[in-house]
Amino acid sequence: MNAITASESTAQRILRHAVIPCLAFVLLLVVWDLLARFSGWSRQVFPGPLQVFMSLGELMLNGTLLQHTVASLFRVTAGFYLAVILGLPLGILLGRLRMARALLNPIIQFLRPISPLAWIPLSMLWFGIGDKPAVFLIFLSSFFPLVVSTTITVSAINPVFFQVAANFNFTRWEVITKIVIPAMIPGTITALRISVTIAWLVVVAAEMIAVQSGLGYLILDSRNALRMDYVMNGMIVIGLIGLLLDAIMRRLGRIESAGWYRNG
Amino acid sequence: MGHIVIQNVCQAYRNRRHHTREGDDPAIGYGDCIQVLDNVDLEFADGEMVCILGPSGCGKSTLLRIMAGFEPATGGTVSIDGKQVKRPGSDHIFVFQHNGLLPWMTVWENVGLGLRHMQAPQARAEKISEHIEMVELEGFEHHYPHQLSGGMQRRAELARALAVNPDILIMDEPFSGLDFLTHMKMREEVVNMHEFIGKTTIVVTHDIDDALIMGDRIVVMSERPARVKMNRTLDFSRPRDFQKDPALNKLRSEIFLMLGVAYAV
Ligand SMILES: Nc1ncnc2c1ncn2[C@@H]1O[C@H](COP(=O)(O)OP(=O)(O)OP(=O)(O)O)[C@@H](O)[C@H]1O
Ligand SMILES: [Mg+2]
């Protein structure tokens, strides 16, 4: 906690963290309602908040929403974990070995700016229909950012730490576990936070093409049925889960920051 | 044992250029190079306290890094007890100028770094706490480096170095950035430590008085490229006080002059 927030009273804190954000949402609902009433579009095309919340209840009660949410979350989790498991070790390798960097960096830099969406046709050909192509797209979307930022984090570690390690006869393995991994934690948490957001963006797009479930599919399918209220339900849940994922990642960062680098 | 012989050590760094030019030194490769150490020849006896002085940027830290095995010299050799130094190792420990403690480890874990391979946990714990006590950091075992003051950090690093029982301690400006009183106390501690364990200790310092009070031997380096300008053993009794000892005071003025400051008191 910094000096400014420390001097804030509890009432001010509640105001800043709860009351004002809630007011903003109320304002959003009012604007939405007014736009829906007076835009001139029909209720079918531009449903108002009340209508959308009614159908949200409906989708929640009959289980559709839960089923699609679980499907999306499963794909994000699978693709994201895969990216973490492969991307972080590769990033450490590239950050530590200049030769590996010279070999692989050009390829990574070339592949990285290709949007995951451009991989849709190939991934469908390779993996068919179902979870696999979607998981593959999510993997791609998080893998490259994770590799690149891990490489940067690891290669920026203070060289003094490696000299200390050499001075105390650390083995290569000890250098990784006792120097590299602890030193890269703060940077890596930021990278994870950014890439999980990207993964969540991509899952929705991926589900519009390859699968018959998930929030992306819900949106596409509802559009085909001309149920714009369902489309909006899908959007709302996507937004809420995005908030949740970010909050989880932030919490992860806070647990770590109780440790050594809080003031470092 | 810690008998050190430094023979004809030269060091040059090159400012990278991507083509060769006439006059490039083939030993260093191509590019303009800056010569930092020029044929440094020194010999330190086992157990000696050596203080190295020299103008800023002359190459003192460079010489220490070569002695520690952190970087190879472009010419010459450093050997410890007849064995050439090729890489860092726990028999010659480098104490860093700034932030040499690992910030993600507590004082306890940092001091235990060199004792990782001790089999008996009991003996290991005893050895760690013994060294923490030696530098008077009891009660701070579970603090992280950022929770310690600058002086406490230096003491913790000293404890970490001593815990592996090295033959040689290499210290780069161990007192820089400390306030006056902490500087004095830390200096006293290093002198006591040296008297107590008798390890070869090499200290680079900017403070001529540090060198006069601590050193069994004083080495003064020239401007870059650094050559040995003075290499003298001091056999003044301790505790030393240059205000009372005219010979010591004379040496002090001599060194001031050598470093380009006319000092007349
Ligand atoms: N890795 C390097 N590459 C190129 N030049 C270097 C490198 N390391 C040191 N130098 C140069 O070598 C010279 C000596 O540096 P060094 O750090 O040894 O000086 P120093 O005597 O310790 O100075 P100070 O008293 O200020 O600490 C400097 O001019 C510096 O620019
Ligand atoms: Mg220096």
Side-chain angles (χ1 to χ4, degrees):
Chain A
M1 201 182 284
N2 60 42
I4 297 167
T5 51
S7 67
E8 223 175 25
S9 72
T10 321
Q12 273 174 322
R13 249 206 331 273
I14 292 173
L15 189 71
R16 207 163 59 86
H17 289 291
V19 179
I20 293 181
C22 281
L23 273 179
F25 270 103
V26 171
L27 194 70
L28 179 70
L29 288 178
V30 171
V31 173
W32 176 8
D33 192 55
L34 290 176
L35 281 177
R37 275 174 210 280
F38 301 111
S39 64
W41 284 312
S42 75
R43 287 265 124 161
Q44 280 237 304
V45 178
F46 193 171
L50 197 65
Q51 194 187 342
V52 168
F53 286 124
M54 300 275 276
S55 63
L56 187 65
E58 189 187 313
L59 284 184
M60 277 202 296
L61 284 180
N62 69 19
T64 326
L65 203 56
L66 185 68
Q67 175 207 333
H68 289 306
T69 308
V70 168
S72 292
L73 280 176
F74 164 73
R75 289 177 194 126
V76 165
T77 311
F80 187 66
Y81 271 125
L82 214 57
V84 171
I85 289 168
L86 297 176
L88 294 192
L90 182 60
I92 292 175
L93 188 79
L94 294 182
R96 289 294 293 146
L97 299 179
R98 234 184 294 168
M99 288 313 276
R101 198 147 69 223
L103 182 72
L104 294 178
N105 216 26
I107 302 174
I108 289 170
Q109 295 300 345
F110 164 70
L111 290 175
R112 190 168 71 111
I114 301 174
S115 161
L117 304 185
W119 287 87
I120 286 176
L122 283 178
S123 67
M124 285 179 72
L125 258 174
W126 292 344
F127 298 106
I129 298 281
D131 281 338
K132 276 193 223 150
V135 170
F136 177 66
L137 290 177
I138 291 153
F139 165 75
L140 282 179
S141 74
S142 335
F143 179 72
F144 291 112
L146 279 178
V147 171
V148 170
S149 64
T150 307
T151 306
I152 293 170
T153 310
V154 169
S155 56
I157 294 174
N158 187 347
V160 164
F161 300 149
F162 294 111
Q163 294 182 331
V164 170
N167 219 168
F168 287 98
N169 299 337
F170 277 35
T171 60
R172 270 162 182 266
W173 179 245
E174 282 174 319
V175 169
I176 299 291
T177 55
K178 294 192 173 145
I179 307 282
V180 174
I181 290 177
M184 68 187 259
I185 283 176
T188 304
I189 285 177
T190 312
L192 290 177
R193 203 176 144 192
I194 293 168
S195 55
V196 82
T197 313
I198 301 173
W200 188 240
L201 285 175
V202 168
V203 70
V204 175
E207 284 168 348
M208 290 192 171
I209 40 100
V211 289
Q212 303 280 308
S213 65
L215 293 167
Y217 172 75
L218 172 69
I219 289 178
L220 190 78
D221 192 48
S222 311
R223 189 210 60 179
N224 292 340
L226 283 180
R227 288 298 301 264
M228 291 308 137
D229 50 342
Y230 288 173
V231 169
M232 287 186 174
N233 287 332
M235 292 168 67
I236 289 170
V237 174
I238 288 167
L240 289 177
I241 289 179
L243 272 182
L244 193 73
L245 287 178
D246 195 57
I248 291 172
M249 285 297 168
R250 247 203 336 247
R251 178 59 57 86
L252 194 65
R254 207 156 329 131
I255 292 169
E256 285 306 326
S257 71
W260 58 271
Y261 53 81
R262 191 164 166 192
N263 301 330
Chain B
M1 292 293 282
H3 173 238
I4 305 175
V5 179
I6 299 170
Q7 254 172 336
N8 297 325
V9 165
C10 296
Q11 184 70 319
Y13 297 106
R14 65 163 177 273
N15 304 315
R16 276 165 205 280
R17 216 177 50 227
H18 293 284
H19 52 92
T20 44
R21 217 186 262 171
E22 221 176 313
D24 282 346
D25 184 346
I28 309 158
Y30 47 86
D32 308 301
C33 61
I34 87 170
Q35 182 80 19
V36 178
L37 298 176
D38 181 12
N39 275 304
V40 176
D41 255 317
L42 289 165
E43 182 171 354
F44 307 143
D46 180 39
E48 222 170 18
M49 164 77 86
V50 181
C51 292
I52 301 179
L53 292 163
S56 178
C58 74
K60 304 180 295 292
S61 299
T62 305
L63 180 63
L64 292 194
R65 284 200 302 275
I66 293 170
M67 291 170 67
F70 290 149
E71 61 183 60
T74 39
T77 56
V78 173
S79 40
I80 297 175
D81 298 325
K83 239 180 71 207
Q84 198 180 333
V85 175
K86 293 210 168 111
R87 59 180 63 84
S90 54
D91 53 346
H92 48 292
I93 295 287
F94 193 99
V95 179
F96 286 89
Q97 194 167 354
H98 291 295
N99 303 328
L101 295 172
L102 301 182
W104 47 85
M105 291 187 182
T106 60
V107 169
W108 180 273
E109 291 165 328
N110 263 296
V111 174
L113 265 194
L115 308 171
R116 309 188 300 294
H117 303 303
M118 278 182 76
Q119 292 299 324
Q122 188 66 37
R124 182 171 183 268
E126 263 166 32
K127 197 151 185 186
I128 295 176
S129 52
E130 174 195 325
H131 282 90
I132 289 177
E133 265 167 47
M134 186 193 256
V135 295
E136 293 169 20
L137 283 176
E138 307 100 313
F140 293 93
E141 286 89 349
H142 303 295
H143 283 57
Y144 287 92
H146 74 83
Q147 296 167 315
L148 305 178
S149 72
M152 290 160 91
Q153 290 179 15
R154 305 284 169 99
R155 298 210 305 265
E157 206 183 324
L158 192 60
R160 178 177 77 182
L162 293 175
V164 286
N165 194 23
D167 295 329
I168 294 158
L169 274 173
I170 302 170
M171 309 172 89
D172 195 359
E173 302 189 25
F175 316 125
S176 73
L178 300 178
D179 67 88
F180 181 75
L181 281 178
T182 316
H183 178 154
M184 292 294 134
K185 273 191 203 144
M186 199 52 204
R187 183 168 81 189
E188 207 178 301
E189 271 174 50
V190 172
V191 169
N192 289 342
M193 176 276 293
H194 178 253
E195 230 151 67
F196 183 61
I197 61 171
K199 304 288 182 192
T200 311
T201 306
I202 297 151
V203 179
V204 160
T205 172
H206 278 298
D207 191 324
I208 293 170
D209 296 350
D210 281 350
L212 289 168
I213 288 186
M214 295 165 66
D216 296 322
R217 174 188 297 277
I218 291 185
V219 174
V220 180
M221 315 281 281
S222 68
E223 293 276 352
R224 197 184 65 228
R227 263 168 282 110
V228 177
K229 221 168 165 183
M230 181 174 121
N231 175 9
R232 192 171 301 177
T233 46
L234 272 64
D235 41 16
F236 301 96
S237 63
R238 295 166 200 269
R240 292 176 181 161
D241 186 344
F242 49 78
Q243 275 152 358
K244 293 199 185 117
D245 188 333
L248 198 60
N249 204 13
K250 189 162 156 285
L251 179 62
R252 185 168 185 251
S253 308
E254 194 183 328
I255 296 173
F256 264 108
L257 265 176
M258 197 170 274
L259 289 170
V261 186
Y263 183 79
V265 173

